[in-house]
Amino acid sequence: MEILLSRKGVVKMDIPLFNVAGQYQEIKSEIKRSIEDVLDSGQYIMGKNVQKFEEAVANYLGVKYAIGVASGTDALILSLDALGIGPGDEVITTPFTFFATAECISRLGAKPVFADIDPTTLTVDIDSIENAITPRTKAIIPVHIYGRCADMPKVMELARKHNLFVVEDVCQAMGGDVNGKKLGTWGDAGAFSFFPTKNLGAFGDGGLIATNDDALAEHIRMLRTHGSKEKYHNEIVGYNSRLDEIQAAVLLVKLAYLDKWNDDRRRIAEEYIGLLKELPIQLPQPGVGREHVFHLFTVLTDDRDRLMEFLKSRGIQTGVYYPIPLHLLPVYEELGYKKGSLPISEISCERALSLPMYPGLTEEQISYVAESIADFFDTRYHNLNGMKA
Ligand SMILES: *Cc1c(COP(=O)(O)O)cnc(C)c1O
């Protein structure tokens, strides 16, 4: 049964924010075969799939080492731990990100220090980082938020000037690059997540660390298996943080599709931008080439909550990433930030709305979303003018 909406007679569609099950349907037989091979092999931890996947990712990124771990969060924690970050140290990052970006710093007993973001790219603002540097600062974690690259040439220049480590949070941006150099290979380490909805998603948790540093790679490899190179010969206190064989097998199949899927995300973003550019909303800044891999397509608007409700009534699922900037979370009250401390991050959290974005989203669906947004502003305009919509 079709439900007609609005005076234009638009037919209602249900559109999810992500569609991971739909992606599985596309490559079902390949995935099933690879999982069955693992099940038959009897080798479920640290087998040939993890090794093959690590080699394939190192090759894909153009980096010396790729080390599978249990999650993106662990990728951040193990990277910082291996760099020697701990109590008494400060690490600068952005509050406009998922909690794990700062949580990893706190987990190691170090102190997160927040720098504000650039209002157009929504990634770290270089001057704001520089102002936050103290004698205790040890590292910077730039976040490629929504898939949009942070200004890595400038971050690296600043880090070199002040002798700081850089760990990139690439959890939302696998496949992106700046000037042909892949995100996650600019800093001392890059932390990737394979959470199911990420651009490269597993069927559970998974993560990976990329690095060109021999000693760091060896240290991280030890950390992920209880601080040992050789079983039962533990040299340091580590973790149990491994990527498992089944996830590695799935990821190995999916990695071959990543560029195609990212191209599709960029095509969808272009279509959205073409259809939305006249409306009173701030659109994402795509950059050039592969600077944006559109993990999310996020617009900014002062009327975010009402637009979200309106789109929901049209069957369109949207998301808020993220409703509270990290410096204002209850857990970080002790750090002493106040409302107004980091104004661009705060206002962006109030205005951000992510639209449906996944490879396979059709032109018809994109038009429906865009038309619905146009209808929302149309209706609001007429209401403001005391007229009937
Ligand atoms: C997903 C994500 C993480 C954490 O990754 P998990 O695999 O869920 O632990 C960290 N930072 C950012 C920006 C993320 O989007």
Side-chain angles (χ1 to χ4, degrees):
M1 195 188 67
E2 290 185 344
I3 303 169
L4 292 181
L5 295 169
S6 84
R7 60 209 176 281
K8 286 183 196 150
V10 178
V11 178
K12 186 173 176 184
M13 292 188 214
D14 283 311
I15 308 181
L17 183 57
F18 305 111
N19 186 14
V20 287
Q23 184 188 63
Y24 169 56
Q25 291 306 320
E26 250 180 73
I27 49 172
K28 195 171 187 162
S29 57
E30 249 184 299
I31 296 270
K32 277 191 158 172
R33 211 177 317 122
S34 69
I35 292 177
E36 272 173 21
D37 285 348
V38 176
L39 298 182
D40 287 334
S41 78
Q43 175 82 45
Y44 307 134
I45 295 281
M46 299 298 276
K48 69 174 197 302
N49 285 284
V50 169
Q51 199 186 339
K52 272 198 204 161
F53 178 64
E54 289 179 341
E55 281 166 19
V57 173
N59 190 39
Y60 174 81
L61 294 174
V63 77
K64 237 166 139 180
Y65 305 101
I67 305 160
V69 293
S71 68
T73 305
D74 274 8
L76 289 163
I77 294 175
L78 269 64
S79 298
L80 292 181
D81 193 339
L83 289 169
I85 309 291
D89 297 335
E90 293 177 359
V91 178
I92 302 172
T93 190
T94 147
F96 192 73
T97 178
F98 178 58
F99 180 54
T101 311
E103 188 182 30
C104 62
I105 303 166
S106 307
R107 179 46 58 223
L108 290 165
K111 181 180 162 189
V113 172
F114 296 108
D116 213 350
I117 54 171
D118 176 278
T120 55
T121 65
L122 308 179
T123 60
V124 276
D125 175 76
I126 302 295
D127 293 335
S128 181
I129 301 181
E130 187 148 31
N131 290 335
I133 294 173
T134 75
R136 285 181 297 279
T137 308
K138 286 281 158 58
I140 305 170
I141 307 182
V143 181
H144 308 299
I145 194 77
Y146 304 149
R148 176 72 172 83
C149 70
D151 189 344
M152 289 316 295
K154 290 235 178 75
V155 169
M156 295 315 295
E157 191 186 308
L158 187 68
R160 279 191 202 105
K161 183 170 146 198
H162 295 273
N163 200 20
L164 304 173
F165 294 121
V166 174
V167 175
E168 297 174 70
D169 183 336
V170 209
C171 290
Q172 299 190 0
M174 186 162 184
D177 68 47
V178 185
N179 306 333
K181 188 171 165 62
K182 282 270 175 353
L183 301 181
T185 69
W186 285 77
D188 296 277
F192 295 83
S193 166
F194 306 123
F195 185 84
T197 55
K198 301 288 160 89
N199 289 31
L200 181 65
F203 294 153
D205 280 307
L208 179 135
I209 298 158
T211 183
N212 279 310
D213 185 316
D214 304 344
L216 194 64
E218 184 174 283
H219 196 154
I220 291 167
R221 279 189 200 284
M222 282 169 71
L223 285 177
R224 79 170 163 183
T225 47
H226 307 285
S228 63
K229 268 180 255 175
E230 195 188 331
K231 218 171 180 180
Y232 310 128
H233 290 257
N234 312 70
E235 297 170 46
I236 51 176
V237 173
Y239 304 80
N240 172 357
S241 182
R242 297 171 294 229
L243 178 65
D244 48 68
E245 274 293 290
I246 291 183
Q247 301 304 346
V250 166
L251 290 165
L252 196 53
V253 170
K254 287 193 175 190
L255 180 64
Y257 294 90
L258 180 60
D259 282 348
K260 175 173 161 279
W261 287 335
N262 282 343
D263 285 344
D264 211 32
R265 287 174 182 274
R266 272 191 300 274
R267 171 196 58 85
I268 292 161
E270 253 172 53
E271 282 176 29
Y272 268 136
I273 289 169
L275 294 168
L276 297 171
K277 63 177 187 286
E278 308 295 339
L279 297 176
I281 51 179
Q282 184 182 324
L283 295 169
Q285 200 220 41
V288 294
R290 304 179 65 87
E291 287 184 7
H292 205 323
V293 289
F294 289 98
H295 170 58
L296 293 165
F297 187 92
T298 305
V299 301
L300 301 181
T301 166
D302 293 336
D303 221 352
R304 193 262 313 276
D305 294 345
R306 287 207 315 156
L307 176 57
M308 192 174 191
E309 271 309 301
F310 181 84
L311 293 178
K312 192 171 155 203
S313 76
R314 290 284 178 104
I316 299 164
Q317 195 193 356
T318 57
V320 172
Y321 301 92
Y322 294 88
I324 306 171
L326 304 188
H327 66 288
L328 298 180
L329 285 174
V331 61
Y332 286 139
E333 221 169 291
E334 70 198 29
L335 295 178
Y337 292 94
K338 294 277 172 295
K339 213 169 162 43
S341 309
L342 300 162
I344 311 289
S345 301
E346 291 166 28
I347 188 106
S348 303
C349 284
E350 286 167 19
R351 301 177 75 220
L353 187 68
S354 301
L355 307 182
M357 170 54 88
Y358 50 85
L361 199 64
T362 65
E363 244 168 78
E364 203 188 1
Q365 289 172 313
I366 298 163
S367 304
Y368 175 71
V369 174
E371 257 169 53
S372 298
I373 296 172
D375 278 350
F376 171 78
F377 284 106
D378 223 25
T379 313
R380 192 180 69 160
Y381 175 80
H382 285 295
N383 285 345
L384 286 176
N385 285 278
M387 293 190 277
K388 272 256 158 93

